[in-house]
Coordinates of all heavy atoms in Angstrom, one line a residue:
Chain M
W12 N -0.1 -8.0 9.7 CA 1.3 -8.2 9.5 C 1.8 -7.2 8.5 O 2.8 -6.5 8.7 CB 1.6 -9.6 9.1 CG 3.0 -10.0 8.7 CD1 3.5 -10.0 7.5 CD2 4.1 -10.3 9.6 NE1 4.8 -10.3 7.4 CE2 5.2 -10.6 8.7 CE3 4.2 -10.4 10.9 CZ2 6.4 -11.0 9.2 CZ3 5.4 -10.8 11.4 CH2 6.6 -11.0 10.5
Chain U
Y26 N -5.2 -7.7 -3.5 CA -5.8 -9.1 -3.2 C -4.7 -10.0 -2.5 O -5.1 -10.8 -1.8 CB -6.2 -9.7 -4.5 CG -7.4 -9.1 -5.3 CD1 -7.3 -8.7 -6.6 CD2 -8.6 -9.2 -4.7 CE1 -8.5 -8.2 -7.2 CE2 -9.8 -8.7 -5.3 CZ -9.7 -8.2 -6.5 OH -10.8 -7.7 -7.2
L27 N -3.5 -9.8 -3.0 CA -2.4 -10.5 -2.4 C -2.2 -10.1 -0.9 O -1.8 -10.9 -0.1 CB -1.1 -10.3 -3.2 CG -0.9 -11.0 -4.5 CD1 -0.5 -12.4 -4.3 CD2 -2.1 -10.9 -5.5
K28 N -2.3 -8.8 -0.6 CA -2.2 -8.4 0.7 C -3.3 -9.0 1.6 O -3.0 -9.5 2.7 CB -2.5 -6.8 0.8 CG -1.9 -6.0 1.9 CD -3.0 -6.0 3.0 CE -2.4 -5.3 4.3 NZ -3.3 -5.4 5.4
W29 N -4.5 -9.2 1.0 CA -5.6 -9.9 1.8 C -5.3 -11.4 1.9 O -5.6 -12.0 2.9 CB -6.9 -9.6 1.2 CG -7.5 -8.3 1.3 CD1 -7.4 -7.4 2.4 CD2 -8.3 -7.5 0.3 NE1 -8.0 -6.3 2.2 CE2 -8.6 -6.3 0.8 CE3 -8.8 -7.8 -0.9 CZ2 -9.5 -5.4 0.3 CZ3 -9.6 -6.9 -1.6 CH2 -10.0 -5.7 -1.0
F30 N -4.6 -11.9 0.9 CA -4.1 -13.4 1.2 C -3.4 -13.5 2.5 O -3.6 -14.5 3.2 CB -3.3 -13.9 0.0 CG -3.9 -14.1 -1.3 CD1 -3.1 -14.3 -2.5 CD2 -5.2 -14.0 -1.5 CE1 -3.7 -14.5 -3.7 CE2 -5.9 -14.3 -2.7 CZ -5.0 -14.4 -3.8
D31 N -2.4 -12.5 2.7 CA -1.7 -12.5 3.8 C -2.6 -12.4 5.2 O -2.4 -13.0 6.2 CB -0.6 -11.4 3.8 CG 0.6 -11.6 4.7 OD1 1.4 -12.6 4.2 OD2 0.8 -11.1 5.7
D32 N -3.4 -11.3 5.1 CA -4.3 -11.2 6.2 C -5.2 -12.5 6.5 O -5.5 -12.8 7.6 CB -5.3 -10.0 6.0 CG -4.6 -8.7 5.7 OD1 -3.4 -8.6 5.9 OD2 -5.3 -7.8 5.3
C33 N -5.5 -13.2 5.4 CA -6.3 -14.3 5.6 C -5.5 -15.5 6.1 O -6.1 -16.3 6.8 CB -6.9 -14.7 4.2 SG -8.3 -13.7 3.6
T34 N -4.3 -15.5 5.8 CA -3.4 -16.6 6.4 C -3.4 -16.3 8.0 O -3.5 -17.3 8.7 CB -2.0 -16.5 5.8 OG1 -2.1 -16.6 4.4 CG2 -1.1 -17.5 6.4
T35 N -3.3 -15.0 8.3 CA -3.3 -14.8 9.8 C -4.6 -15.1 10.4 O -4.7 -15.8 11.5 CB -3.2 -13.3 10.0 OG1 -1.9 -12.8 9.5 CG2 -3.3 -12.9 11.4
L37 N -6.5 -17.6 9.3 CA -6.6 -19.1 9.4 C -5.9 -19.7 10.6 O -6.4 -20.5 11.3 CB -5.9 -19.7 8.0 CG -5.9 -21.2 8.0 CD1 -7.3 -21.9 8.1 CD2 -5.1 -21.6 6.8
F38 N -4.7 -19.1 10.9 CA -4.1 -19.5 12.1 C -4.8 -19.3 13.4 O -4.9 -19.9 14.3 CB -2.6 -18.9 12.2 CG -1.6 -19.7 11.4 CD1 -1.4 -19.4 10.0 CD2 -0.7 -20.8 11.9 CE1 -0.4 -20.1 9.4 CE2 0.0 -21.4 11.2 CZ 0.2 -21.2 9.9
I45 N -1.1 -15.9 15.3 CA 0.3 -15.9 14.7 C 1.4 -15.3 15.6 O 2.4 -15.7 15.8 CB 0.4 -15.3 13.3 CG1 -0.1 -16.4 12.3 CG2 1.8 -14.8 12.9 CD1 0.1 -15.9 10.8
F49 N 4.5 -17.4 16.6 CA 5.8 -17.1 16.2 C 6.8 -17.1 17.4 O 7.8 -17.7 17.4 CB 5.9 -15.8 15.4 CG 5.4 -15.9 14.0 CD1 4.7 -17.0 13.6 CD2 5.4 -14.8 13.2 CE1 4.2 -17.2 12.3 CE2 4.9 -14.9 11.9 CZ 4.3 -16.1 11.4
G56 N 8.7 -15.8 10.6 CA 7.5 -15.6 9.7 C 7.3 -16.8 8.9 O 7.9 -17.8 9.0
V57 N 6.2 -16.7 8.0 CA 5.9 -17.7 7.2 C 6.0 -17.1 5.7 O 4.9 -17.0 4.9 CB 4.5 -18.3 7.4 CG1 4.6 -19.2 8.6 CG2 3.4 -17.2 7.6
P58 N 7.2 -16.8 5.2 CA 7.4 -16.1 3.9 C 6.9 -16.9 2.8 O 6.9 -18.2 2.8 CB 8.9 -15.8 3.9 CG 9.5 -16.8 4.8 CD 8.5 -17.0 5.9
L59 N 6.4 -16.2 1.7 CA 6.0 -16.9 0.4 C 7.2 -17.4 -0.3 O 8.1 -16.7 -0.5 CB 5.3 -15.9 -0.4 CG 3.7 -15.7 -0.2 CD1 3.2 -14.8 -1.4 CD2 3.1 -17.0 -0.2
V60 N 7.0 -18.7 -0.9 CA 7.9 -19.1 -1.9 C 7.3 -18.9 -3.2 O 8.0 -18.4 -4.2 CB 8.1 -20.6 -1.6 CG1 9.0 -21.2 -2.7 CG2 8.9 -20.8 -0.2
D61 N 6.0 -19.2 -3.4 CA 5.4 -18.9 -4.7 C 4.0 -18.7 -4.4 O 3.4 -19.0 -3.4 CB 5.7 -19.8 -5.8 CG 5.2 -21.2 -5.6 OD1 4.0 -21.3 -5.3 OD2 6.0 -22.1 -5.8
V62 N 3.4 -18.0 -5.4 CA 1.9 -17.6 -5.4 C 1.4 -17.8 -6.8 O 2.1 -17.4 -7.8 CB 1.7 -16.2 -4.7 CG1 2.2 -15.1 -5.6 CG2 0.2 -16.1 -4.5
V82 N -5.6 -24.8 4.3 CA -4.2 -25.5 3.9 C -4.7 -26.7 2.9 O -5.5 -27.4 3.2 CB -3.5 -26.1 5.0 CG1 -2.3 -26.9 4.5 CG2 -3.0 -24.9 5.9
E84 N -2.0 -28.6 1.6 CA -1.0 -29.7 1.6 C 0.0 -29.2 2.6 O 0.4 -28.0 2.6 CB -0.4 -29.8 0.2 CG 0.6 -30.9 0.1 CD 1.4 -30.8 -1.2 OE1 0.9 -30.2 -2.2 OE2 2.4 -31.5 -1.3
F85 N 0.6 -30.2 3.4 CA 1.7 -30.0 4.2 C 2.9 -30.6 3.6 O 2.8 -31.8 3.2 CB 1.4 -30.5 5.7 CG 0.4 -29.7 6.4 CD1 -0.9 -30.3 6.5 CD2 0.7 -28.4 6.9 CE1 -1.9 -29.6 7.2 CE2 -0.3 -27.7 7.6 CZ -1.6 -28.3 7.8
R86 N 4.0 -29.9 3.6 CA 5.3 -30.6 3.1 C 6.2 -30.5 4.4 O 5.8 -30.1 5.5 CB 5.8 -29.8 2.0 CG 5.0 -30.0 0.8 CD 5.4 -29.0 -0.3 NE 4.4 -29.1 -1.4 CZ 4.4 -28.2 -2.5 NH1 5.2 -27.2 -2.5 NH2 3.5 -28.3 -3.4
R87 N 7.5 -30.8 4.2 CA 8.3 -30.9 5.4 C 8.4 -29.6 6.1 O 8.2 -29.6 7.3 CB 9.7 -31.4 4.9 CG 10.6 -31.9 6.1 CD 12.0 -32.2 5.7 NE 12.9 -32.3 6.9 CZ 13.5 -31.2 7.3 NH1 13.3 -30.0 6.7 NH2 14.2 -31.3 8.5
S88 N 8.8 -28.6 5.5 CA 9.0 -27.2 6.1 C 8.3 -26.2 5.3 O 8.6 -25.0 5.5 CB 10.5 -27.0 6.2 OG 11.1 -27.0 4.9
S89 N 7.3 -26.6 4.5 CA 6.4 -25.6 3.9 C 5.0 -26.2 3.8 O 4.7 -27.3 4.2 CB 6.9 -25.4 2.5 OG 6.8 -26.4 1.6
F90 N 4.1 -25.3 3.4 CA 2.7 -25.7 3.3 C 2.0 -24.9 2.3 O 2.5 -23.7 1.9 CB 2.0 -25.5 4.7 CG 2.0 -24.2 5.3 CD1 0.9 -23.4 5.4 CD2 3.2 -23.8 5.9 CE1 1.1 -22.1 6.0 CE2 3.3 -22.5 6.6 CZ 2.2 -21.7 6.6
V91 N 1.0 -25.5 1.7 CA 0.3 -24.8 0.5 C -1.1 -24.4 0.9 O -1.9 -25.2 1.5 CB 0.2 -25.8 -0.6 CG1 -0.5 -25.1 -1.8 CG2 1.6 -26.3 -1.1
L92 N -1.4 -23.1 0.8 CA -2.7 -22.5 1.2 C -3.5 -22.2 0.0 O -3.0 -21.9 -1.0 CB -2.5 -21.3 1.9 CG -1.7 -21.3 3.3 CD1 -0.9 -20.0 3.6 CD2 -2.8 -21.5 4.3
R93 N -4.8 -22.3 0.1 CA -5.7 -21.8 -1.0 C -6.6 -20.7 -0.3 O -7.3 -21.0 0.8 CB -6.5 -22.9 -1.5 CG -7.4 -22.3 -2.7 CD -8.4 -23.3 -3.2 NE -9.3 -23.7 -2.2 CZ -10.0 -24.9 -2.2 NH1 -9.8 -25.7 -3.1 NH2 -10.8 -25.1 -1.2
H94 N -6.8 -19.6 -1.0 CA -7.6 -18.5 -0.6 C -8.7 -18.4 -1.7 O -8.2 -18.2 -2.8 CB -6.9 -17.3 -0.3 CG -5.7 -17.3 0.6 ND1 -5.9 -17.4 2.0 CD2 -4.4 -17.3 0.5 CE1 -4.7 -17.5 2.5 NE2 -3.8 -17.5 1.6
I111 N -3.3 -19.5 -4.7 CA -2.6 -20.6 -4.1 C -1.2 -20.2 -3.7 O -0.4 -19.7 -4.5 CB -2.4 -21.8 -5.1 CG1 -3.8 -22.2 -5.8 CG2 -1.8 -23.0 -4.5 CD1 -4.8 -22.9 -4.9
E112 N -0.9 -20.3 -2.4 CA 0.3 -19.8 -1.9 C 1.2 -21.0 -1.3 O 0.6 -21.9 -0.5 CB 0.1 -18.9 -0.7 CG -0.7 -17.6 -1.0 CD -0.7 -16.8 0.3 OE1 -1.0 -17.3 1.3 OE2 -0.4 -15.6 0.2
T113 N 2.4 -21.0 -1.5 CA 3.3 -21.8 -0.8 C 4.1 -21.0 0.2 O 4.9 -20.1 -0.3 CB 4.4 -22.6 -1.8 OG1 3.5 -23.2 -2.8 CG2 5.2 -23.7 -1.1
R114 N 4.0 -21.4 1.4 CA 4.7 -20.7 2.5 C 5.7 -21.6 3.2 O 5.5 -22.7 3.3 CB 3.8 -19.9 3.4 CG 3.0 -18.9 2.9 CD 1.9 -18.4 3.8 NE 1.2 -17.2 3.3 CZ 1.6 -15.9 3.5 NH1 2.6 -15.7 4.3 NH2 0.8 -15.0 2.9
V115 N 6.7 -20.9 3.7 CA 7.8 -21.6 4.4 C 7.7 -21.3 5.9 O 7.4 -20.2 6.3 CB 9.1 -21.3 3.9 CG1 10.2 -21.7 4.8 CG2 9.3 -21.9 2.5
W116 N 7.8 -22.3 6.7 CA 8.1 -22.1 8.1 C 9.4 -21.7 8.4 O 10.4 -22.6 8.4 CB 7.6 -23.4 8.9 CG 7.5 -23.3 10.4 CD1 8.3 -23.8 11.3 CD2 6.3 -22.9 11.1 NE1 7.8 -23.6 12.5 CE2 6.6 -23.1 12.5 CE3 5.1 -22.4 10.7 CZ2 5.7 -22.8 13.5 CZ3 4.3 -22.0 11.7 CH2 4.5 -22.2 13.1
A117 N 9.7 -20.4 8.8 CA 11.1 -19.9 8.8 C 11.5 -19.4 10.2 O 10.9 -18.5 10.7 CB 11.2 -18.9 7.7
S129 N 14.4 -22.2 6.6 CA 13.3 -23.0 6.8 C 13.5 -24.1 7.8 O 14.6 -24.6 8.0 CB 12.8 -23.7 5.4 OG 13.8 -24.5 5.0
C130 N 12.4 -24.3 8.6 CA 12.5 -25.3 9.7 C 11.3 -26.3 9.4 O 10.3 -26.0 8.8 CB 12.2 -24.8 11.0 SG 13.0 -23.2 11.2
L132 N 7.9 -28.2 9.9 CA 6.7 -27.8 10.5 C 6.4 -28.6 11.8 O 6.4 -29.8 11.7 CB 5.6 -28.0 9.5 CG 5.1 -26.9 8.5 CD1 4.3 -27.4 7.4 CD2 4.4 -25.8 9.4
Chain H
D16 N 8.3 -5.7 5.8 CA 7.5 -6.2 6.9 C 8.3 -6.4 8.2 O 9.4 -6.1 8.2 CB 6.7 -7.4 6.5 CG 7.7 -8.6 6.3 OD1 8.8 -8.6 6.8 OD2 7.3 -9.6 5.7
F22 N 7.6 -7.0 1.8 CA 6.2 -7.6 2.0 C 5.8 -7.9 0.5 O 5.7 -7.0 -0.2 CB 5.3 -6.6 2.7 CG 3.9 -7.1 3.0 CD1 3.7 -8.3 3.8 CD2 2.8 -6.4 2.5 CE1 2.4 -8.8 3.9 CE2 1.5 -7.0 2.8 CZ 1.4 -8.1 3.4
Y23 N 5.4 -9.2 0.3 CA 5.4 -9.7 -1.1 C 4.4 -9.0 -2.0 O 4.7 -8.9 -3.3 CB 5.3 -11.3 -1.1 CG 4.0 -11.7 -0.6 CD1 3.0 -11.9 -1.6 CD2 3.7 -11.9 0.7 CE1 1.7 -12.4 -1.2 CE2 2.5 -12.3 1.0 CZ 1.5 -12.5 0.1 OH 0.3 -13.0 0.6
P24 N 3.3 -8.5 -1.4 CA 2.4 -7.8 -2.5 C 3.2 -6.6 -3.1 O 2.8 -6.2 -4.2 CB 1.2 -7.3 -1.6 CG 1.1 -8.2 -0.5 CD 2.5 -8.6 -0.2
F66 N 9.3 -16.3 -5.4 CA 10.1 -15.4 -4.6 C 11.4 -16.2 -4.2 O 11.2 -17.0 -3.3 CB 9.3 -14.9 -3.3 CG 7.9 -14.3 -3.8 CD1 6.7 -15.1 -3.7 CD2 7.9 -13.0 -4.3 CE1 5.6 -14.5 -4.1 CE2 6.7 -12.5 -4.8 CZ 5.6 -13.3 -4.7

Side-chain angles (χ1 to χ4, degrees):
Chain M
W12 174 261
Chain U
Y26 289 123
L27 284 276
K28 198 272 179 186
W29 286 328
F30 289 168
D31 205 70
D32 301 349
C33 288
T34 301
T35 298
L37 176 59
F38 277 87
I45 278 189
F49 285 6
V57 284
L59 270 190
V60 173
D61 65 52
V62 63
V82 172
E84 184 191 344
F85 293 104
R86 296 173 186 164
R87 194 180 162 278
S88 54
S89 66
F90 53 109
V91 180
L92 293 148
R93 187 186 63 204
H94 307 286
I111 309 286
E112 299 182 316
T113 307
R114 287 175 178 268
V115 164
W116 189 257
S129 64
C130 319
L132 268 163
Chain H
D16 67 14
F22 183 56
Y23 71 94
F66 309 100

